[in-house]
Amino acid sequence: MAVLKNTSLCAIVKDEVMNPAGGILDFVESIVPFVEEAVIVDTGSSDGTREVLEECRRKYSHLKVRDRSFDNYASSRNYSLIHATKQWVLVLD
């Protein structure tokens, strides 16, 4: 399995359990194994997304989950970037 060396994934999420694109679990499992670090910011989910992310942290020790109330996309994205520690950042939305 190829891993993007020295790369952090940054993403913001809210209420993604039943996302038509596959949901938060599919998202995490399809990208987190391929980066050295993942930072996902939950912006106020009420559908169980936060709980799914906590379960994912047990499997992926390099996954960081942060909470932040949503005010706008730029601020939320920038908050995720503050927590990234690798040289390169992959931002997925």
Side-chain angles (χ1 to χ4, degrees), residues 29-87:
E29 290 183 345
S30 67
I31 191 66
V32 171
F34 305 102
V35 294
E36 284 191 356
E37 174 183 63
V39 179
I40 299 179
V41 176
D42 187 286
T43 60
S45 294
S46 60
D47 70 344
T49 295
R50 185 65 169 83
E51 292 77 9
V52 171
L53 289 171
E54 283 303 317
E55 287 293 319
C56 290
R57 284 184 60 226
R58 291 185 180 95
K59 184 174 181 181
Y60 303 108
S61 61
H62 62 293
L63 170 60
K64 300 177 188 177
V65 180
R66 302 288 186 253
D67 296 296
R68 181 179 196 279
S69 295
F70 183 81
D71 54 355
N72 64 61
Y73 288 100
S75 295
S76 298
R77 183 201 58 236
N78 291 342
Y79 182 78
S80 71
L81 294 171
I82 289 169
H83 296 284
T85 63
K86 303 302 178 186
Q87 181 179 5

Side-chain angles (χ1 to χ4, degrees), residues 6-19:
N6 210 16
T7 302
S8 298
L9 161 73
C10 288
I12 58 173
V13 298
K14 182 174 182 180
D15 294 334
E16 300 288 345
V17 168
M18 297 303 291
N19 184 312

